[in-house]
């Protein structure tokens, strides 16, 4: 009986408030569940390994190309101002 009355009241109101309510429910419910035990140490170690160790290649490539660009800019700057003793031939 109460459910039928609630459905009748909300029948014409299936617009943005309903969609935002569903979004809030689906995004808000898992949040407390993530912060409660049991913590699974194996999963945490796997995720840290995936994020940290598996991204070393990207970090090394980024650092290498950044260093090459800085070296080239430094060489051009030293050559422009006549500091031949500090730059390679």
């Amino acid at each position: 009986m109460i459910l039928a009355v609630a459905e009748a009241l909300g029948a014409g109101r299936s617009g943005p408030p309903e969609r935002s309510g569903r979004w809030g429910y689906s995004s808000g419910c898992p949040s407390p569940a993530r912060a409660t035990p049991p913590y699974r140490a194996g999963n945490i170690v796997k995720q840290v390994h995936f994020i940290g160790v598996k991204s070393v290649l990207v970090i090394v490539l980024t650092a290498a190309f950044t260093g090459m660009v800085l070296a080239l800019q430094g060489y051009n700057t030293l050559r422009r101002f006549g500091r031949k003793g500090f730059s390679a031939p």
Side-chain angles (χ1 to χ4, degrees), residues 3-88:
L3 184 59
V5 171
E7 285 179 358
L9 287 174
R13 309 243 180 225
S14 62
E18 182 186 62
R19 288 191 294 263
S20 65
R22 278 189 261 154
W23 177 82
Y25 179 75
S26 65
S27 65
C29 285
S31 297
R34 281 184 260 158
T36 58
Y39 300 111
R40 293 178 177 85
N43 288 341
I44 294 172
V45 170
K46 285 179 187 176
Q47 290 172 5
V48 168
H49 172 39
F50 181 77
I51 291 170
V53 176
K54 301 236 178 178
S55 62
V56 169
L57 178 64
V58 174
I59 294 168
V60 168
L61 285 175
T62 304
F65 280 101
T66 303
M68 287 188 279
V69 167
L70 285 174
L72 182 63
Q73 288 178 347
Y75 171 74
N76 287 335
T77 302
L78 288 173
R79 196 176 65 164
R80 181 182 303 160
F81 292 109
R83 300 288 183 171
K84 299 235 181 222
F86 295 111
S87 62

